[in-house]
Amino acid sequence: MTDPNALLALYDEQLRPDFPDPAPAGTVVERDGPLVRVTGIGRGGFVTYRDLRGLDGAGIDELIARQVRIFTERRESVEWKYHSHDLPADLPARLLAAGFVPEEEETVVIGPVAPLAAAPLRDIPGVRLREVTSRADLDRIAGMEEAVWGDGSRGWLADALERELAADPTALTVVVAEADDVVVSAGWIRYVPGTGFAGLWGGSTLAEWRGKGIYKAVAEWRARLAAERGYSYLQVDASPDSRPILQRLGLIPVTTTTPYIFDGTSIIE
């Protein structure tokens, strides 16, 4: 299937709402009308939904305000991931009015597993790929991500991956690319049960190691894992940097997403 509209419909049907199941230890998943609210994941929470069931005006405002109250009481941040095809059309303005701040837009791209899975193994001089589960390796991934993004500690990432692996070791696979003892790139794949989708996440690469095919090699490795488990489609929330690469690999843009963040830790009473 290569029709963007059909792929988007499949995405909405099978991948939304998106929340951890089974939930890692300490994570709380709650229903709130059309929303699923997730808390206790370490660096704040998030809300997710398939659609807002025709809510608009005061109904939407109250739903948003309820999330603001809950996360302010918890002194946590919350992410509301807005999809560009979501209704009502004025939802972004209502989130802004409630104190949410937009972050960088990403593009949801979807494509068939088979072509990437069939790609020959790449031989990148000085680099090896392997699958990891140990806390030491997860900490090394967090360190690599800190170097790539320069936005402070990413210890929460190692914590989150460790808890996710502990909740269900079969639900995801973490892959690193190493040069000697340095993690130069990493990515993980989540297998969504009961669907045809596996999701690619991560994919960061140290600046000095870009342009060598490492990102593609890590993506293709994970595609082979998805194929082995019988999945048909790969889905990625692609950054502006990774989107062109993924499109060259055969994935198709179907919508965009923007994380809207409310920081409940900054409220002063």
Side-chain angles (χ1 to χ4, degrees), residues 4 7 18 51 73 80 87 107 144 183 196 204 210 253-254 257:
L7 288 171
D18 175 25
D51 61 63
E73 290 169 359
W80 183 304
L87 296 174
T107 303
M144 180 274 298
V183 173
S204 300
R210 295 171 192 164
V254 299
T257 69

Side-chain angles (χ1 to χ4, degrees), residues 86-195:
D86 283 349
L87 296 174
D90 65 352
L91 179 57
R94 293 181 181 277
L95 290 169
L96 288 170
F100 284 77
V101 177
E103 294 192 337
E104 183 178 56
E105 180 182 270
E106 294 183 322
T107 303
V108 177
V109 295
I110 296 172
V113 166
L116 270 73
L121 289 171
R122 294 176 183 270
D123 181 16
I124 304 171
V127 176
R128 68 162 182 161
L129 273 63
R130 66 185 180 96
E131 297 166 23
V132 300
T133 58
S134 74
R135 177 61 194 232
D137 284 321
L138 301 181
D139 284 333
R140 295 168 69 224
I141 291 170
M144 180 274 298
E145 292 259 349
E146 289 168 9
V148 168
W149 298 105
D151 58 357
S153 173
R154 292 229 166 183
W156 60 264
L157 175 60
D159 291 342
L161 290 173
E162 182 179 49
R163 292 167 63 197
E164 200 171 342
L165 284 165
D168 184 357
T170 68
L172 79 161
T173 305
V174 183
V175 179
V176 297
E178 298 171 310
D180 295 325
D181 61 347
V182 177
V183 173
V184 300
S185 183
W188 42 100
I189 179 169
R190 292 187 173 102
Y191 313 104
V192 186
T195 77

Side-chain angles (χ1 to χ4, degrees), residues 61-119:
D61 287 342
E62 175 52 33
L63 186 65
I64 294 170
R66 195 154 59 242
Q67 311 318 308
V68 167
R69 289 196 298 270
I70 288 169
F71 283 92
T72 298
E73 290 169 359
R74 292 180 60 88
R75 293 294 190 267
E76 290 183 0
S77 63
V78 56
E79 175 185 314
W80 183 304
K81 181 182 284 188
Y82 166 73
H83 292 71
S84 57
H85 64 291
D86 283 349
L87 296 174
D90 65 352
L91 179 57
R94 293 181 181 277
L95 290 169
L96 288 170
F100 284 77
V101 177
E103 294 192 337
E104 183 178 56
E105 180 182 270
E106 294 183 322
T107 303
V108 177
V109 295
I110 296 172
V113 166
L116 270 73

Side-chain angles (χ1 to χ4, degrees), residues 10 13-15 191-198 229-233:
L10 203 60
E13 177 186 348
Q14 296 193 11
L15 293 183
Y191 313 104
V192 186
T195 77
F197 285 91
R229 290 160 175 78
Y231 287 90
S232 301
Y233 297 102

